[in-house]
Amino acid sequence: MVPARLPVVVYAPTPPTAREQRCLDGLEGRVLIAAARSPEQLLEEVSAFLLDVKAVLADPAAPPEPVLAPGIFEGKRVLIVDDDVRNVFALASALEAHGMEVLYAENGVQGIQTLQANPEIDVVLMDVMMPELDGYETMRAIRALPEFSALPILAVTAKAMKEDRDRSIAAGASEWMTKPVNPDELLALIGIWLYPISELEPQVAL
Amino acid sequence: MNSGKAGILIVDDRVENLRALEAVLEPLGCRIVTACSGRDALKLLLEEQFAVILLDVQMPEMDGFETASYIRDRHRTRAIPIIFLSAVSTSADHVFRGYEAGAVDYIVKPIDPVAIRSKVRVFLELYERGE
C-alpha cells in the first residue's frame, strides 16, 4: 500500500514487461517512472519530480508541508565515513533535522568496526578519497561481509570523472555523489535507497 | 536528548591547559571531557551532548572561532553555551568576534579558578533544569 502523499519513483532502466506495464499504468500520475541511464540523470529526474509534487501540493490556504512525507527518515541511522569531520558536521544538521541518527568514522578501518558494532545502520556515506584504507577498499571489505551485501552505500567522489564513478560502483557502491555534498540531494538519494522499489510493489489482485 | 549527567567539554591544543582546567573544575563533580583540537571537539560533539564548552581561541589548524561556527551551524549543538578562552587581551574587535561566533562568555588567560568554576556551575545547573 503506497501512502497517498508519498512520492514514488519507479526506476525502470529496461523496458517493462506487459504485466509490469499494467501495474505502472495504474500508478500513472502519482509516480515518476524514471528510465535514466545514469545516476546524474536519475537525480535530475527525481529532483524535478519532487519539485512538481511540491507545486501540486502547494495550497495557499494550507500550512506548508514538507515535500517528502514526514517521518520517512525518522530513526534511520546513517554512517558517514570521511577523514575530515568538518564535512560531516555540516551534513549532520540536515540529516538530524529529519530525525536521522548520524554515526561517524574517520577512516575505513573504523568505518568497518562501527558497522559491525552497529549492524542496524541503514545507509553508509563513504568518502572515497581517504588516506590509508581508501573508500574503494573499504567498500570492497564491507561487501565481502554477507550481512552487508544489500546495505545502501553512497560513495562521495571529488570529481565527476567517469573513472571515479565506475570505480565506486565496481567497489560496491550503490550510488555515487560528488563533493561538496548537497544536503537536499543527499536526502533524496537516501530516501530512494531506504525504500527500494520491491517494497513498494502494488498488490495486484488476480 | 539531554540524557545522563551534564558534562563539560574543554578544548585546548595545549595538554597542560587541559589538565589545569580539569583540576579547577573537578570539584564540580561532573563529567569532564577534553579535546586538543577543534576537529576532535567536533567528533565528540557528534556522539554526545554537553552542558557547556570551554573553547580555546588560539589553536593551530582550526581556531576557536571556526570551531564555534561549525558547532552553531548544527541544530543539535546550536544551543550549547560556549565560553571562549583567550590569551589575547580583550580588544573590542576580538571580543565582538567571539560573541558573533556564539559565545556566551569570553575569558582571558590566566584564568581565575573561582570565577570559572562559578560560571561553569551556572551552565551545569541550567542544563540539568532544562531536561
Side-chain angles (χ1 to χ4, degrees):
Chain A
M1 260 284 280
V2 179
R5 294 177 94 71
L6 180 70
V8 175
V9 176
V10 176
Y11 183 53
T14 56
T17 65
R19 183 178 174 279
E20 286 169 351
Q21 189 60 53
R22 277 198 299 277
C23 293
L24 292 175
D25 287 344
L27 300 171
E28 200 70 60
R30 290 206 291 129
V31 308
L32 165 71
I33 292 141
R37 287 277 164 266
S38 69
E40 316 97 311
Q41 213 185 333
L42 177 63
L43 184 58
E44 247 181 65
E45 290 189 39
V46 171
S47 301
F49 172 59
L50 290 177
L51 284 173
D52 285 345
V53 169
K54 195 174 181 180
V56 164
L57 295 179
D59 167 11
E65 281 186 51
V67 172
L68 299 175
I72 67 170
F73 297 116
E74 195 68 46
K76 296 299 180 185
R77 316 195 79 197
V78 55
L79 168 65
I80 306 183
V81 188
D82 191 315
D83 62 327
D84 191 340
V85 66
R86 289 174 293 190
N87 297 335
V88 182
F89 226 73
L91 286 178
S93 206
L95 299 175
E96 287 162 348
H98 285 265
M100 299 189 74
E101 281 301 313
V102 175
L103 287 83
Y104 170 65
E106 66 176 326
N107 58 53
V109 172
Q110 270 188 33
I112 294 169
Q113 285 172 349
T114 305
L115 201 48
Q116 289 177 308
N118 299 276
E120 73 284 3
I121 285 170
D122 297 291
V123 58
V124 177
L125 192 65
M126 178 77 63
D127 177 16
V128 299
M129 316 272 293
M130 290 188 292
E132 293 174 38
L133 190 71
D134 70 20
Y136 303 113
E137 281 301 319
T138 310
M139 287 189 287
R140 270 190 279 272
I142 293 173
R143 290 301 187 209
L145 303 167
E147 64 268 35
F148 299 123
S149 57
L151 175 69
I153 303 178
L154 312 180
V156 180
T157 67
K159 301 163 274 200
M161 308 238 302
K162 195 171 184 303
E163 305 93 76
D164 293 332
R165 288 155 28 194
D166 293 345
R167 243 184 115 187
S168 298
I169 303 294
S174 315
E175 192 77 71
W176 60 270
M177 308 163 58
T178 54
K179 278 181 185 176
V181 172
N182 178 299
D184 293 329
E185 286 176 20
L186 175 61
L187 282 164
L189 275 181
I190 290 177
I192 291 170
W193 284 98
L194 285 183
Y195 298 95
I197 295 159
S198 57
E199 288 179 18
L200 295 173
E201 230 177 292
Q203 306 300 311
V204 178
L206 294 170
Chain B
M1 182 90 63
N2 288 355
S3 59
K5 281 197 60 152
I8 304 167
L9 175 62
I10 310 174
V11 189
D12 195 309
D13 61 306
R14 303 185 70 110
V15 175
E16 61 269 25
N17 293 343
L18 292 173
R19 298 293 156 254
L21 280 167
E22 264 185 303
V24 163
L25 298 172
E26 193 255 336
L28 294 173
C30 65
R31 226 158 56 77
I32 298 175
V33 178
T34 60
C36 54
S37 70
R39 283 166 65 143
D40 282 351
L42 294 184
K43 288 179 209 171
L44 288 163
L45 284 162
L46 279 174
E47 292 172 20
E48 54 187 307
Q49 283 289 319
F50 294 95
V52 60
I53 303 172
L54 302 184
L55 186 49
D56 180 28
V57 171
Q58 288 86 23
M59 291 189 290
E61 272 192 56
M62 186 163 61
D63 69 17
F65 295 134
E66 196 188 337
T67 307
S69 73
Y70 278 101
I71 296 171
R72 293 273 297 159
D73 281 346
R74 180 170 163 240
H75 288 118
R76 284 197 190 175
T77 47
R78 170 168 299 166
I80 303 178
I82 297 174
I83 299 177
F84 277 124
L85 308 170
S86 176
V88 174
S89 68
T90 48
S91 71
D93 180 58
H94 231 240
V95 174
F96 188 65
R97 227 190 130 189
Y99 286 116
E100 275 220 308
V104 295
D105 210 339
Y106 198 104
I107 298 175
V108 179
K109 301 174 189 177
I111 295 163
D112 175 353
V114 174
I116 198 159
R117 248 198 312 272
S118 1
K119 286 171 191 277
V120 170
R121 185 185 290 113
V122 167
F123 291 116
L124 290 174
E125 284 170 7
L126 282 172
Y127 180 87
E128 273 160 9
R129 245 188 277 154
E131 287 177 20

